[in-house]
Amino acid sequence: MWGGRFSEKPADLMQAINVSIGFDRRLAGQDLAGSRAHAAMLRKQGIISSEDAEAILTGLDAIEGEMTAGAFPFREEYEDIHMNVEARLAELIGPTAGRLHTARSRNDQVALDFRLWVREACDRSVGQLKALQRALLAKAEAHADTLMPGFTHLQSAQPVTFGHHLMAYVEMFGRDASRFADARERMNESPLGAAALAGSSFPIDRHFTAAELGFHEPMGNSLDAVSARDFALEALSAASIASTHLSRLAEEIVIWMTPQFGFIKLSDAFTTGSSIMPQKKNPDAAELIRAKVGRVFGALTSLTIVMKGLPLAYGKDMQEDKVPAFEAFDALELSVLAMAGMVSDLEPNKEKMAAAAGAGYSTATDLADWLVRTLGIPFREAHHVTGAAVKRAEELGVDLPALALSELQSLEPRITLDVYSVLTPAASAASRMSYGGTAPAQVRAQIARWKEML
């Protein structure tokens, strides 16, 4: 490839550190797409003849057929996917293959291929997240009125419904999908035609190749076009946030599966056993999702560090951009698919959840609200009275709904029997009718809204 300047082959160690075909072969489809668009543009602009362009396009089709059949000869001596394709094209159609590289460089070629790959990864992530949202919606709809405790500090706070809890993740994953869509919109400019760094002296049509490849327009600066990797950083940022949300839900599944909680069950399809303890049924899929977030975070950190000190334009450091992105999106895809499977598979233990929903004086806020609403007491005073009621119930070893009226009236004489109508977990949840609240009617309204949006 550069034999005119060099008279000796690279050292074995140089070859070992320099070669990238072992991983950038994943860009084969994108490389072929970019080459087709470039060849078509060269023909349109009269830079190469129609005959040469036709031979190149026919050769590229043959290479794609070989790749599809698993017969393409990937060879390390050609270093990367670009030179592997070009070398094979030369074997198929002869010296005409050399015309394909007119008015382009490997710098804008790899920038294009990687941008195309990340764009497709963003599209896949949006589709996978929407499938996960649909799984959550289906489970939430089936359990819009199934009671469970809502937690703060992992302590019982107020009763909520299981459907409401799951809908929180529908919202999170919706934002994740929108982040990937936003990133995709920003990255949808073509670097092809920037050549090595300064553009081309040939009369190329960058708008044509951009349109051929589904980009809005060409990138406006050739230096930026070959050196920018912020599109990958932004996609990995979105992947990191999505992975965080996956990890939070995975953690809850792990907790809910413990005998101490016993809130849900997973079938054999999404659990594993123990080699020594026959009673065990482990939520390993959730645990692995929780762990894979490290791969995604690591990819973002790795690429950020690669890019942080690079002067314009291209540096071979950027060869290290692909493996982290490939690994991160592989981990994210597997995690999203596994989570969707678990969500569809899990079944809540309604009785245990309902019992837990009323534990820990979870309707204390309802008592305070009743005092404000019915007796006109300032909230801070109502908070104090309720705190005293909780303390008294704790002393007697009972929950708030079981605290005698006389005990409540000793704290506030105006309390009536009507107060017990708000002290059950079901009544507490049903009363939260504010927009986005946990009342089953509100949960169903949000489910309907998301069904329409999806």
Side-chain angles (χ1 to χ4, degrees), residues 66-67 74 105 115 145 185 199 256 310 409 424 433 446:
E66 289 179 343
M67 289 179 174
F74 291 103
S105 161
R115 191 173 287 254
D145 53 4
E185 183 70 16
W256 292 341
L310 294 187
Q409 288 176 335
T424 65
M433 280 294 293
Q446 292 299 323

Side-chain angles (χ1 to χ4, degrees), residues 292-305:
K292 284 185 183 295
V293 67
R295 288 178 177 265
V296 184
F297 285 2
L300 175 59
T301 302
S302 174
L303 184 53
T304 302
I305 292 171

Side-chain angles (χ1 to χ4, degrees), residues 181-224:
D182 288 346
R184 189 217 198 273
E185 183 70 16
R186 257 182 299 282
M187 73 178 68
N188 203 32
E189 297 177 337
S190 173
L192 186 59
L197 76 162
S200 175
S201 60
F202 289 92
I204 61 175
D205 185 347
R206 294 189 63 211
H207 288 84
F208 175 85
T209 51
E212 285 286 292
L213 294 164
F215 291 106
H216 293 324
E217 59 188 354
M219 296 181 73
N221 183 282
S222 59
L223 291 167
D224 180 43

Side-chain angles (χ1 to χ4, degrees), residues 143-291:
H143 296 284
D145 53 4
T146 296
L147 291 172
M148 69 172 288
F151 298 98
T152 60
H153 309 278
L154 205 55
Q155 304 291 315
S156 292
Q158 292 177 290
V160 297
T161 69
F162 189 48
H164 187 59
H165 194 106
L166 295 178
M167 288 301 294
Y169 286 101
V170 172
E171 296 283 345
M172 292 182 214
F173 294 130
R175 292 192 295 273
D176 291 329
S178 72
R179 271 183 281 270
F180 281 116
D182 288 346
R184 189 217 198 273
E185 183 70 16
R186 257 182 299 282
M187 73 178 68
N188 203 32
E189 297 177 337
S190 173
L192 186 59
L197 76 162
S200 175
S201 60
F202 289 92
I204 61 175
D205 185 347
R206 294 189 63 211
H207 288 84
F208 175 85
T209 51
E212 285 286 292
L213 294 164
F215 291 106
H216 293 324
E217 59 188 354
M219 296 181 73
N221 183 282
S222 59
L223 291 167
D224 180 43
V226 298
S227 65
R229 293 298 183 271
D230 56 340
F231 66 91
L233 289 172
E234 186 172 8
L236 288 172
S237 297
S240 295
I241 298 171
S243 295
T244 303
H245 293 152
L246 287 166
S247 185
R248 293 182 73 182
L249 180 51
E251 170 73 2
E252 296 204 295
I253 289 174
V254 170
I255 292 172
W256 292 341
M257 275 282 289
T258 61
Q260 290 77 11
F261 270 73
F263 281 4
I264 64 167
K265 291 182 178 179
L266 285 170
S267 76
D268 293 353
F270 285 93
T271 53
T272 62
S274 165
S275 64
I276 190 173
M277 296 170 286
Q279 82 280 11
K280 294 296 293 296
K281 199 169 189 181
N282 302 319
D284 280 5
E287 293 170 15
L288 288 166
I289 290 170
R290 190 175 57 185

Side-chain angles (χ1 to χ4, degrees), residues 357-377:
Y361 313 105
S362 65
T363 57
T365 304
D366 298 277
L367 172 56
D369 288 347
W370 185 91
L371 293 170
V372 172
R373 198 168 50 244
T374 305
L375 303 183
I377 297 175

